[in-house]
Amino acid sequence: MALSQAQEVPKGCTTTSIEGTVKEAPLPSPGDKLYLMEKAEYAIKFPRLSIRSSKSGAINSVELKQVVMSGLIRADEYRFDFSWYYKAEVSFDMRFLPPKPFLSSSGGVQDLDRRHSLTPFPKGFMAGELRRPDVTIVKDKSVRWPGQAGSDHQGAIHPDKLLRIVEVKFPGDVLHAKQRSDYIVIAGSSKKFSVLEVTDCRDKGEREKAREFNAQTKPTQAYDSRQWPVPLEQPRKAPAPVPVYGPKATPNPAYVEAWTFAHEAVESLREGGNSAINALSQEVRQYMDDASAWLTQQGKWIRQEAGKAWEWLSESTGEVLRWTDEQLREMWKQVQLYTDLTLEMLKEIDWVQVLADIGITVGTVVVIIAIGAGLVAAGVPAAIVSALVILVRLAQMFWGVFATVLGGGAVLTAASA
């Protein structure tokens, strides 16, 4: 006998949408929940992706809900030059009391208003002594420091700017006792620690509609949290806004386009060829001009030591693309500025995938980077995606000499792509 629609809705749901329940301490304001739920609603509708590893060729399933939500918040942080109320996955050093947030060193350690480090492996961290709460809400967006009153790792003193630590739990996630106690220490009090439980209350029919939508309309379509799936006839050029909520009204909300893949493995941009490029919207393809040829064609990479340059030669057309060492060093500076990646991390990157374009007007994308067994979500300018992909590819193929050029190692001369 078929289940009724009501029986298909998860236990405890009051609607057939996506709900959020705040537990532990209440959030500071109603606007905080609105902001976080907009991101959570979008993230929960991403299907579980099958990712093909570019190094081993193996296909692994990846749950992207938390990664995508963090990426969307990171994109807002970037848009406001990190002077923003919400910080995604700030890394805290638990060896200190109060725990110290790791700050970026990309702008120089003398800068007292540095943003938090964006890497999950900040310089100087110790295994077992690092915590990354999902969201940190601060009292004053004009001050980038995201911690309690105290000194940073360089000894500079900062005032208490931490308003709330928020852990977001999607269906199936568990808040462990040690995790909870550590987050309360980071927050400074149980009254400053909140849990946002996100429940997918859509019935079976609604979920099936979403799956069909993803299958029929990939790679892109406009997303509207009030209407899912988006009608197929909706114009591609009229994306619906995901509001940027906060204690104060914010103009120019971000726009989100979903690039979801329901039934196939997603290959990395540096390995996926035509399938990867075709999965990008026209706007981002324009930013990928520097990489699109070698991503979609067979060719050979060559190190020209005499000219201090790197060349790619197309096997089919004879086209030659060229980047000098100086150009690569400048590209690396830009990538570091927005990701806090180090040379060691660059070497370990397995794949890079663009998952969302946040706003045609602001030109920001969410990229997912696999570093070893970890996933990093970054909201970065679309203009640097090509640079990131090129750097990752060259690091994989010419690590020794490439590391020397960027500031580190030596070896190799030519390889086929």
Side-chain angles (χ1 to χ4, degrees), residues 1 14 30 43 58-59 81 89 109 120 174 207 214 282 291 316 340-341 350 367 376:
M1 190 173 85
T14 59
I59 295 178
D81 196 26
E89 297 191 4
V109 297
V174 177
R207 295 185 197 199
N214 284 334
Q282 185 59 42
S316 57
D340 285 342
L341 290 174
D350 187 42
V367 295
V376 180

Side-chain angles (χ1 to χ4, degrees), residues 145-312:
W145 172 256
Q148 298 183 54
S151 63
D152 59 32
H153 286 84
Q154 283 68 47
I157 303 299
H158 300 267
D160 180 12
K161 291 297 176 181
L162 197 156
L163 186 59
R164 190 74 83 250
I165 291 295
V166 183
E167 185 67 1
V168 180
K169 293 301 179 187
F170 289 100
D173 292 344
V174 177
L175 178 64
H176 298 287
K178 175 60 173 168
Q179 186 183 30
R180 178 181 181 275
S181 62
D182 282 351
Y183 288 171
I184 289 174
V185 172
I186 292 172
S189 164
S190 60
K191 294 180 180 179
K192 296 173 70 175
F193 172 61
S194 303
V195 176
L196 177 61
E197 289 190 356
V198 182
T199 306
D200 188 349
C201 292
R202 295 174 297 169
D203 58 44
K204 185 177 180 181
E206 289 298 313
R207 295 185 197 199
E208 186 57 38
K209 286 179 184 177
R211 280 192 290 270
E212 290 175 2
F213 170 74
N214 284 334
Q216 293 174 23
T217 65
K218 68 177 186 290
T220 62
Q221 260 293 353
Y223 165 73
D224 184 341
S225 64
R226 298 156 298 183
Q227 184 181 30
W228 185 275
V230 179
L232 300 186
E233 65 273 13
Q234 179 163 332
R236 164 74 177 76
K237 284 289 187 179
V242 173
V244 178
Y245 291 101
K248 294 183 180 179
T250 306
N252 302 320
Y255 288 86
V256 179
E257 295 174 307
W259 288 335
T260 61
F261 300 73
H263 305 295
E264 62 185 71
V266 179
E267 298 180 275
S268 75
L269 285 178
R270 63 192 172 99
E271 295 291 340
N274 281 309
S275 63
I277 286 292
N278 290 337
L280 300 175
S281 70
Q282 185 59 42
E283 288 79 11
V284 176
R285 287 189 212 184
Q286 292 172 5
Y287 286 112
M288 292 293 291
D289 280 348
D290 286 346
S292 60
W294 63 263
L295 276 168
T296 57
Q297 301 174 35
Q298 286 295 312
K300 178 174 288 186
W301 287 94
I302 301 169
R303 167 64 177 170
Q304 295 287 5
E305 191 62 45
K308 301 299 180 185
W310 310 78
E311 293 182 351
W312 176 83

